Amino acid sequence: MSNGQPYYASDSTIIIMGASGDLTARKLVPALFALWKEGFLADNVPIVGVARREKTDESFRQEMYENIVEHGRFKPDNEEDWNKFAKRLFYREVDLNREDDYLLLKKSLEDLEFDFNIPTNRVYYMAIAPSLFLPVVEALHNTGLIPGRDSDDTIRVVIEKPFGHDLESAQHISRELSRMLLEEQIYRIDHYLGKETVQNILLFRFGNSIFEPLLNRNHVDHVQITVAESQGIEGGRGAYYDKSGALRDVLQNHALQLLCLLGMEPPSLFRAEAIRDEKLKVLQAMAPGDPYDLSKWTVAGQFTGGEVKGTRVPGYREEDRVPKDSTRETFVAMKIMIDNWRWAGVPFYVRTGKRLPERVTEIAIQFTLPPLHLFGTVECEGDICDLVGARPNTLVFRIQPKEAISLVFSTKRPGMQYQIQPVRMDFAYDEAFDRGLPEAYERLLLDVLRGDSTLFTRSDELEAAWRFVDPVLKRLDDPNFEPEFYKPGTWGPEGSNLLLARQGHRWRVPGSEHNRAAAGEGKSIK
Ligand code: BG6
């Protein structure tokens, strides 16, 4: 993201530890193929899949071909096209518990570097279970695959979330990693930061001059951040999810990163360290929405079974590998304050959950109302009519799906009276640009290869986020804690509405229907 970075990646080896898993199949290799198709990946970048299963280079290539065809944004044009890419794919069988296997891998990587005529410039991607991160880095370190911190070789290690389970475990992982790696060698992925529309938050804020002066306590009434999913727990994830829950799985990382990007001060330079410093300040300034009572600023829910669009869906406790009496939260909403000069007194409401009505991620900034109601409109729903004044201006960043930025503002309704009507101005990515948006992993992998850590989480950011949610986690992990139940296909438990109602606020209904409602459409106006 920072300026001055090389345009494309060359002279590196990518080693995927855990190449038999879903992440490699669905995300990593399709993303690498897309980078190559777009000209961002030079031909001297070998990709080595490492896993325990027995495979040859040929069978690995064939498997990856099928994955790219099934999941990729780009597909091979023909056999020749595929062969050009496939010749850089290799597979090495390694039992991650056997030192000898690491030594064989070392030799094999050195041979490849010789054949490709490239220096020891390696990216190790940990596509493995979180419990293996530390032992594998340790084994790579002990066998010389990750040389000492003072070596001249360029070694980068990419780690997927979860980074720990709470503040203490995250600090432990950081401490241990720092024995073997420098902070700048560690790339902690939060794939939300790779999303084009998330990156655009900074560009929108600091690449325009008319919006930024409004983004503060003088003009913003409150902010709503929603990361909603309509699906339940995907097959095989029950055991992980039940240990994690909505707060650890999404709010602590993806949602707080969105909050940081919206809340942070402009960096003095568009460089990784400067941007991460500013995000860190936001995380450190975050405060509970109520200083005394946790239940007044956090709501946790769990979905029950029920019907969604005519089909019965299982409740959380009926999901595969979830205990029948689980109290794990599948929904969490929080009122967060940012105690700094810019945002003091402005609530940031953040919510995330599974089995909500739709998959949608958005940030909505609701501005204060004009100081005086000079105009009104008579609005009727059935026989009931109301005199309605100005509605608040709302600026919405739609991260997904249908990536867009919309602004709701008031206009004069055509006619012989001064009647006020909200309307919406939309910028939709797919209408404005004729190229598809890159997948988050494309951008993130390229950034690791070119050594740009702007879009990765630094250890102090991570710790600050854990520190903030830690007291809440303790409460939710307490076996006596009962989440509030909610029906699938709804926007979460009633407590979530109450959280806002206490302040006289109301959750928006995100998505297209919402925008019609916000713009006053669907209501008759006299
Ligand atoms: C992951 C979570 O980090 O993010 C998943 O572990 C969640 O539970 C996913 O479904 C959401 O990501 P996206 O890109 O689909 O919004």
Side-chain angles (χ1 to χ4, degrees):
M1 195 187 243
S2 45
N3 303 325
Q5 69 198 1
Y7 175 68
Y8 69 102
S10 65
D11 290 332
S12 296
T13 307
I14 303 169
I15 304 114
I16 304 178
M17 308 298 291
S20 298
D22 228 33
L23 182 67
T24 308
R26 300 167 83 93
K27 299 287 182 194
L28 302 183
V29 174
L32 288 165
F33 182 72
L35 285 176
W36 177 71
K37 284 296 273 184
E38 297 250 84
F40 290 114
L41 199 66
D43 279 328
N44 63 354
V45 180
I47 301 166
V48 184
V50 172
R52 192 177 181 157
R53 286 186 208 155
E54 202 180 316
K55 269 177 219 173
T56 60
D57 287 346
E58 261 329 301
S59 62
F60 182 62
R61 286 174 187 164
Q62 181 56 31
E63 230 182 84
M64 293 305 123
Y65 174 81
E66 284 155 24
N67 289 325
I68 289 168
V69 169
E70 188 177 345
H71 305 292
R73 197 163 69 88
F74 287 88
K75 325 270 178 212
D77 297 335
N78 49 41
E79 206 177 324
E80 192 192 340
D81 189 41
W82 170 245
N83 288 338
K84 269 197 217 152
F85 178 78
K87 65 180 188 221
R88 89 217 11 251
L89 288 177
F90 301 91
Y91 183 80
R92 296 295 174 261
E93 222 176 289
V94 170
D95 176 340
L96 295 176
N97 297 312
R98 289 196 52 206
E99 189 172 318
D100 285 356
D101 284 11
Y102 285 91
L103 294 171
L104 288 174
L105 177 65
K106 182 164 185 258
K107 171 81 179 65
S108 187
L109 292 182
E110 285 162 3
D111 290 348
L112 274 176
E113 282 158 357
F114 180 81
D115 294 346
F116 276 76
N117 193 20
I118 54 177
T120 307
N121 181 350
R122 298 179 191 155
V123 171
Y124 292 102
Y125 199 113
M126 300 292 153
I128 47 180
S131 58
L132 294 175
F133 291 163
L134 274 181
V136 169
V137 173
E138 194 127 39
L140 291 168
H141 183 250
N142 292 343
T143 48
L145 278 146
I146 293 183
R149 291 165 32 127
D150 44 7
S151 150
D152 287 339
D153 297 339
T154 305
I155 303 289
R156 300 182 183 125
V157 175
V158 186
I159 301 183
E160 278 281 338
K161 73 174 245 286
F163 315 107
H165 197 65
D166 52 14
L167 178 61
E168 199 185 325
S169 54
Q171 284 172 329
H172 170 74
I173 298 177
S174 293
R175 245 192 333 267
E176 290 300 306
L177 285 179
S178 70
R179 282 194 298 112
M180 302 172 272
L181 296 161
L182 296 166
E183 174 63 26
E184 55 266 32
Q185 293 181 289
I186 307 171
Y187 288 71
R188 297 174 192 83
I189 284 210
D190 181 318
H191 78 279
Y192 256 62
L193 294 177
K195 290 182 193 278
E196 192 73 13
T197 36
V198 172
Q199 292 164 42
N200 195 31
I201 298 170
L202 290 187
L203 205 132
F204 181 90
R205 287 188 58 197
F206 307 134
N208 293 297
S209 60
I210 60 172
F211 301 105
E212 193 50 28
L214 302 177
L215 296 183
N216 57 54
R217 65 179 194 289
N218 299 321
H219 302 285
V220 176
D221 183 70
H222 71 276
V223 175
Q224 299 188 10
I225 298 180
T226 300
V227 182
E229 293 182 87
S230 54
Q231 66 186 18
I233 310 302
E234 292 154 311
R237 287 193 91 215
Y240 152 76
Y241 196 86
D242 202 63
K243 286 208 195 77
S244 170
L247 180 50
R248 286 187 178 89
D249 188 45
V250 170
L251 196 138
Q252 182 267 356
N253 36 74
H254 308 327
L256 289 188
Q257 284 293 331
L258 296 180
L259 181 144
C260 285
L261 293 175
L262 185 75
M264 68 185 250
E265 294 301 320
S268 48
L269 277 178
F270 209 72
R271 292 275 189 274
E273 289 316 304
I275 292 170
R276 300 197 294 185
D277 287 348
E278 294 306 334
K279 278 164 53 194
L280 176 65
K281 287 184 205 159
V282 175
L283 289 163
Q284 290 170 334
M286 285 189 324
D290 184 291
Y292 308 110
D293 185 350
L294 197 143
S295 68
K296 292 224 173 79
W297 67 280
T298 300
V299 174
Q302 187 188 90
F303 64 84
T304 61
E307 268 206 11
V308 179
K309 295 182 186 145
T311 309
R312 180 171 198 283
V313 297
Y316 176 66
R317 292 175 175 182
E318 299 163 73
E319 296 272 14
D320 187 27
R321 301 199 213 175
V322 169
K324 299 287 164 256
D325 56 353
S326 170
T327 55
R328 183 50 71 203
E329 85 287 358
T330 59
F331 174 97
V332 65
M334 276 186 177
K335 176 184 166 200
I336 299 175
M337 307 305 290
I338 303 179
D339 284 348
N340 63 18
W341 203 258
R342 183 192 279 259
W343 292 115
V346 178
F348 281 65
Y349 299 110
V350 183
R351 63 177 166 175
T352 181
K354 305 266 186 200
R355 283 268 183 252
L356 303 186
E358 55 185 312
R359 175 174 180 259
V360 57
T361 299
E362 61 165 47
I363 302 176
I365 303 160
Q366 188 166 313
F367 292 91
T368 50
L369 281 167
L372 204 61
H373 285 299
L374 290 179
F375 312 105
T377 302
V378 179
E379 274 190 4
C380 300
E381 270 185 301
D383 292 340
I384 303 170
C385 295
D386 248 344
L387 183 65
V388 178
R391 282 174 206 273
N393 296 114
T394 314
L395 177 64
V396 179
F397 293 95
R398 171 86 43 76
I399 311 296
Q400 62 189 16
K402 288 247 159 265
E403 293 79 1
I405 297 174
S406 341
L407 182 66
V408 174
F409 56 94
S410 298
T411 49
K412 178 182 178 301
R413 183 167 191 255
M416 298 303 144
Q417 302 169 53
Y418 267 100
Q419 295 226 347
I420 194 165
Q421 177 155 0
V423 291
R424 199 183 77 221
M425 202 153 69
D426 264 344
F427 153 72
Y429 272 74
D430 59 354
E431 286 164 20
F433 300 109
D434 58 1
R435 46 186 318 205
L437 297 184
E439 278 281 320
Y441 277 93
E442 295 171 28
R443 175 60 195 252
L444 295 173
L445 280 164
L446 182 61
D447 280 358
V448 181
L449 285 161
R450 47 191 188 185
D452 182 349
S453 51
T454 310
L455 300 178
F456 297 82
T457 319
R458 209 168 54 188
S459 69
D460 48 5
E461 280 182 73
L462 186 67
E463 282 188 25
W466 278 122
R467 184 165 285 117
F468 181 75
V469 299
D470 225 39
V472 186
L473 288 174
K474 291 212 165 65
R475 168 87 185 280
L476 302 190
D477 289 346
D478 181 337
N480 296 320
F481 175 78
E482 277 279 328
E484 252 186 84
F485 293 103
Y486 61 97
K487 292 209 172 81
T490 66
W491 287 103
E494 196 36 42
S496 164
N497 295 329
L498 274 176
L499 185 76
L500 274 69
R502 275 192 213 106
Q503 308 285 307
H505 294 143
R506 211 162 69 170
W507 285 111
R508 289 160 36 86
V509 178
S512 48
E513 306 86 291
H514 148 71
N515 285 331
R516 267 189 275 124
E521 293 165 35
K523 287 196 174 159
S524 63
I525 297 175
K526 293 245 158 118

